[in-house]
Amino acid sequence: MTKVMMNTAQVRPLVEVRDAARWFDVSAPRLERVLSRKPRTMLRAVDGVSFSIRRGETLALVGESGCGKSTIARLLVGLYPLTRGSIMFDGQPLSDMDGPDGLALRKRLQMIFQDPYASLNPRWRVGRIVAEPMLAHTSMTKPQRDERVDALLAQVGLHPTDRDRYPHQFSGGQRQRISIARALAVNPEFLVCDEPTSALDVSVQAQVLNIMKDLQRSLGLTYLFISHNLAVVHHVADRVGVMYLGRIVEIADRDSLFEHPQHPYTRMLLSAIPDMTGAGARRTPVAGEVPNPLNPPSGCTFHPRCPFARELCKTESPIMVATGENQVACHGIAQGWPMKVEISAAVL
Ligand code: SF4
């Protein structure tokens, strides 16, 4: 029996997201709304997203600004409640975070934020910043916490004496290392990384990404990696989900997605990134504007920008189907429409 349960735990994904939605009420104040007889206005930041993350892997979510990827990051660490759907962590509903065992669950998932300048308390020394999660989640003594802080600083390439300095005395890359040390303080299994390198110089980005990869290997961590930068995603991800206006439109293993992108939006994003070797200049910019999420297009929300759109695309939202290695939400791909034309700003 024990053996069967262990196998089940090992096989099931660490994170399972099913039909997750998060809407925000952005209506005018009630009195104004009643007087002007306007209905409530809901921003559907995430609207029906499903994916899973296996233990030890990195799933990256990419998409243009406002596509909902940062909202998913916050849903996964319990910073926002779900409007609809479910999120399971190691077989346990994330909503349990609000229950009596919530602290134990919270300890297992931590987040690294985009801006290491804003996410570190400028009035605290580094030692206190890194030790703070231990105070909240463990009963470690002061000497035990001090010892752990030294070990964590060493793990992210800082010196134990750095514990006595303040965040403003460090460079951007060093501050993000401090953020990583703080996130690791309570031995989490899952890290949600929301654009962790986008505020850093390009030369520093690779160092931080390599530290994260090394830590993943040595500690068996699982990552959800949020980024708008496909070159960074190519460097870190095992699988990639492409988001557009609150939904995932394509998800696949990294190599399948980069070598055989199928959804027209994925193809457009890939046509806009610099050469993967870094030698080439930026190719075509992403064409068209992301529609207003308060008034999204009907049917497939990508249809105003899609060169392959037909009448069906304007009325019916496509569902996710498996095509080869990829899962894609597109009528044209599901029905075999001719879609060979190279996608770039020239055809859009
Ligand atoms: Fe383009 Fe239609 Fe596919 Fe949407 S469903 S991506 S509009 S072909």
Side-chain angles (χ1 to χ4, degrees):
M1 180 71 176
T2 309
K3 204 170 181 181
V4 171
M5 287 175 68
M6 272 184 63
N7 287 341
T8 307
Q10 281 163 357
V11 167
R12 88 175 154 226
L14 186 63
V15 179
E16 287 182 277
V17 178
R18 291 287 164 260
D19 193 30
R22 173 62 191 170
W23 299 358
F24 295 96
D25 188 344
V26 292
S27 313
R30 189 163 184 275
L31 183 61
E32 192 183 315
R33 205 161 26 87
V34 170
L35 291 175
S36 60
R37 298 187 179 176
K38 281 186 183 158
R40 279 188 180 282
T41 311
M42 302 303 285
L43 172 66
R44 301 180 179 204
V46 172
D47 196 24
V49 164
S50 299
F51 61 87
S52 58
I53 311 177
R54 296 184 285 263
R55 273 171 208 278
E57 81 166 348
T58 299
L59 173 72
L61 290 181
V62 295
E64 289 163 283
S65 172
C67 70
K69 52 194 192 303
S70 287
T71 303
I72 289 187
R74 280 156 180 74
L75 287 170
L76 278 171
V77 289
L79 291 177
Y80 292 149
L82 284 165
T83 303
R84 186 184 76 231
S86 67
I87 300 177
M88 305 291 282
F89 180 79
D90 201 11
Q92 187 177 3
L94 214 63
S95 53
D96 282 3
M97 274 188 177
D98 300 324
D101 298 330
L103 215 55
L105 183 55
R106 269 173 208 280
K107 183 171 168 275
R108 301 174 69 189
L109 352 104
Q110 297 289 318
M111 184 155 175
I112 299 170
F113 294 90
Q114 172 178 357
D115 187 351
Y117 297 84
S119 63
L120 302 177
N121 188 332
R123 287 186 286 274
W124 286 9
R125 292 179 199 273
V126 166
R128 183 175 174 192
I129 290 171
V130 176
E132 201 242 342
M134 297 179 232
L135 275 168
H137 291 285
T138 74
S139 53
M140 290 166 78
T141 61
K142 172 95 173 51
Q144 286 171 330
R145 291 197 302 271
D146 287 346
E147 192 180 330
R148 175 103 180 106
V149 168
D150 288 351
L152 286 163
L153 291 178
Q155 264 182 315
V156 297
L158 295 172
H159 195 272
T161 55
D162 288 331
R163 60 181 306 126
D164 296 322
R165 300 167 70 200
Y166 289 95
H168 73 266
Q169 295 176 284
F170 293 87
S171 67
Q174 288 171 323
R175 286 187 222 205
Q176 199 56 297
R177 290 172 195 232
I178 297 166
S179 301
I180 295 169
R182 178 182 59 183
L184 294 176
V186 287
N187 283 319
E189 292 151 65
F190 178 51
L191 286 187
V192 175
C193 315
D194 187 8
E195 303 267 13
T197 60
S198 60
L200 306 178
D201 291 343
V202 175
S203 58
V204 180
Q205 284 186 8
Q207 294 170 14
V208 173
L209 293 174
N210 288 336
I211 285 174
M212 292 179 68
K213 285 178 86 168
D214 289 346
L215 289 168
Q216 181 174 41
R217 267 191 296 270
S218 58
L219 303 174
L221 295 166
T222 305
Y223 290 149
L224 175 71
F225 195 96
I226 306 286
S227 181
H228 67 280
N229 185 330
L230 276 164
V232 167
V233 164
H234 187 266
H235 186 65
V236 298
D238 298 307
R239 282 190 306 135
V240 183
V242 178
M243 288 196 70
Y244 190 75
L245 274 188
R247 296 191 176 167
I248 292 182
V249 296
E250 181 162 8
I251 189 163
D253 285 350
R254 179 196 61 181
D255 291 345
S256 298
L257 191 110
F258 278 84
E259 286 164 25
H260 309 290
Q262 301 204 18
H263 194 282
Y265 179 59
T266 312
R267 291 164 60 187
M268 190 170 85
L269 280 183
L270 286 172
S271 79
I273 60 173
D275 188 316
M276 282 300 172
T277 63
R282 176 172 275 271
R283 291 156 67 190
T284 50
V286 174
E289 298 276 320
V290 179
N292 180 355
L294 289 173
N295 186 22
S298 58
C300 170
T301 54
F302 186 60
H303 83 254
R305 301 171 81 182
C306 180
F308 311 112
R310 298 186 185 184
E311 278 309 307
L312 175 66
C313 307
K314 298 177 187 169
T315 55
E316 272 188 41
S317 181
I319 57 166
M320 195 70 101
V321 293
T323 69
E325 303 283 307
N326 304 17
Q327 286 189 299
V328 188
C330 171
H331 293 305
I333 289 166
Q335 300 191 15
W337 300 345
M339 299 173 79
K340 293 284 180 216
V341 182
E342 187 185 340
I343 296 196
S344 72
V347 298
L348 284 166

